[in-house]
Amino acid sequence: MKRNADVLSVLSLIDSVVKLNHVARKLLMWRIDFFLDNGYENVSMNDIVKHAGGSLATLYKHFGNKEQLFIYILEQKSEEVFGEWGRKSVCYEGRIEEFLTETGRMFLDLVTTPDAILFHRLLISIGYINDSRLNKTQIQNLMSVPVIIIANYLENEKVNGHIEVEDTYLVAEQFLNAVKGPFLFQTILGIQIDISEETRLKALKQVVTIFCRGLHVIQ
């Protein structure tokens, strides 16, 4: 199935990130901040060298172009943020409500930060860029990592007879969309809303309850 192939491809991509030499690592220390502050199209390879150090030769040697550097930064960020999710998910077998609550809480804590809002604005702007060098499918796959982690967990729960559901990937997408729905779009638009911890947890608890009932959780 193509979806399974995409899942394996993304997880393999994260697990097989190349080890760069000291100079190349120095180029990445500033992470994605420069893109967030200036916009993807306004950043050049010369800008990156100027602010991160190193040389153009080193940058091109390891990444080839700005597009591949951006993809690499996303890979690193994805592993940094979501790598532990996948490794911890095996500890929640048979405890789907706890898993969804903890995963949903971490996801909400992440997507409501100022950097996350800037990042989503950056991705929206990238969507309008007509550049064949920028692999948008690869970006989409990397952004699907949290969905994949939840889907894999749900699939294991399904195989073990703990839940009844037809499409675990679709459920994972629907869950995360429901979790971020009351908060993300408004904050991207700059609308001031209540995103306090109390409000986030209240919304999350309701979503988890709805999904657990819909999944026919088997005790």
Side-chain angles (χ1 to χ4, degrees):
M1 184 184 295
K2 183 178 184 300
R3 177 181 294 168
N4 290 337
D6 287 341
V7 169
L8 292 174
S9 175
V10 172
L11 294 179
S12 174
L13 184 64
I14 294 174
D15 290 336
S16 62
V17 173
V18 295
K19 292 185 176 181
L20 304 176
N21 63 31
H22 176 73
V23 176
R25 287 183 180 277
K26 185 179 178 182
L27 289 167
L28 295 173
M29 285 180 63
W30 51 281
R31 296 288 182 176
I32 204 167
D33 295 350
F34 198 60
F35 286 106
L36 294 179
D37 292 340
N38 297 278
Y40 178 84
E41 288 190 288
N42 296 325
V43 175
S44 69
M45 294 288 262
N46 282 321
D47 293 329
I48 294 169
V49 170
K50 179 180 178 181
H51 287 81
S55 68
L56 270 177
T58 299
L59 202 59
Y60 279 107
K61 175 184 176 182
H62 288 288
F63 304 106
N65 54 40
K66 181 180 76 171
E67 291 71 28
Q68 288 308 306
L69 172 61
F70 183 70
I71 293 292
Y72 180 82
I73 292 173
L74 290 185
E75 291 170 5
Q76 295 293 295
K77 195 65 176 177
S78 180
E79 168 59 22
E80 177 186 318
V81 174
F82 300 118
E84 196 64 20
W85 287 26
R87 290 185 283 273
K88 284 185 175 181
S89 63
V90 296
C91 302
Y92 286 88
E93 182 179 349
R95 298 154 54 202
I96 185 170
E97 184 173 350
E98 289 181 55
F99 174 79
L100 292 179
T101 298
E102 181 62 15
T103 305
R105 182 191 63 77
M106 291 189 294
F107 186 71
L108 268 182
D109 288 347
L110 173 66
V111 300
T112 53
T113 62
D115 277 355
I117 302 306
L118 287 174
F119 181 66
H120 279 86
R121 290 173 180 162
L122 176 66
L123 289 183
I124 291 172
S125 69
I126 286 175
Y128 291 95
I129 298 175
N130 185 20
D131 189 338
S132 60
R133 293 173 301 176
L134 188 59
N135 191 330
K136 295 179 183 179
T137 299
Q138 196 172 1
I139 293 175
Q140 181 182 14
N141 288 341
L142 284 166
M143 298 312 298
S144 297
V145 168
V147 177
I148 293 168
I149 292 171
I150 295 175
N152 286 344
Y153 170 81
L154 294 176
E155 189 64 33
N156 287 331
E157 292 297 288
K158 178 181 177 179
V159 169
N160 291 329
H162 296 150
I163 60 174
E164 296 176 4
V165 63
E166 181 178 349
D167 190 330
T168 52
Y169 189 93
L170 180 59
V171 170
E173 283 188 313
Q174 292 170 327
F175 174 73
L176 290 182
N177 285 335
V179 167
K180 68 185 179 183
F183 307 103
L184 186 59
F185 186 64
Q186 293 93 324
T187 50
I188 288 175
L189 292 177
I191 298 173
Q192 296 297 316
I193 61 171
D194 181 5
I195 56 172
S196 64
E197 182 178 9
E198 180 181 0
T199 299
R200 298 198 308 270
L201 291 179
K202 179 181 178 181
L204 174 61
K205 181 179 179 180
Q206 181 164 294
V207 170
V208 170
T209 298
I210 292 170
F211 271 78
C212 284
R213 289 175 181 174
L215 288 170
H216 303 292
V217 177
I218 302 168
Q219 302 295 338

